Amino acid sequence: MAYKYFAHNGKLLPAEQANVPLSRVEYSYGFGVYESIRVSKGKILFLREHCERLMSSAKVIGLNHTFTVDFVEKSIKELVKHNEVVSCNLKVLLIGGRTDDTATLDILCLNPLFPDRKLYRDGATCITYYYEREFPQA
């Protein structure tokens, strides 16, 4: 399903206007945090918890911004309502800026992607790699 809208800093905009400013160093080097949130049968699952974790992750990496948990929640609810979502994954991206006021909040509706049922039945092959992530709490 194609979704008609995305949210940018709390404003609903047509999806075709979504873009990633590659010239911004914050995008190029990944100075941001994100959350993926499931919407099932029109219900946004664990919304408050996800929004609080987004803010906590931003604080851990030193990403200053002007957004609040309530603002993010409201933006998500409006986007889900206007896109008439029944089931989707939401991607919430909080990207830092040179100042608190230039940080951006983008929220996108994505079609859910489920693993092939054969993986549940047959399992999957994997390789493990020993690695310690910086800021694992973010």
Side-chain angles (χ1 to χ4, degrees), residues 31-47:
F31 186 60
V33 293
Y34 74 93
E35 282 289 318
S36 295
I37 304 173
R38 181 90 174 105
V39 178
S40 180
K41 299 178 183 172
K43 181 174 172 35
I44 305 166
L45 304 179
F46 306 105
L47 178 59

Side-chain angles (χ1 to χ4, degrees), residues 111-131:
N111 289 318
L113 180 62
F114 300 106
D116 190 310
R117 290 190 181 276
K118 290 189 300 187
L119 290 172
Y120 291 101
R121 185 188 67 222
D122 303 337
T125 302
C126 70
I127 298 172
T128 60
Y129 177 74
Y130 182 78
Y131 175 79

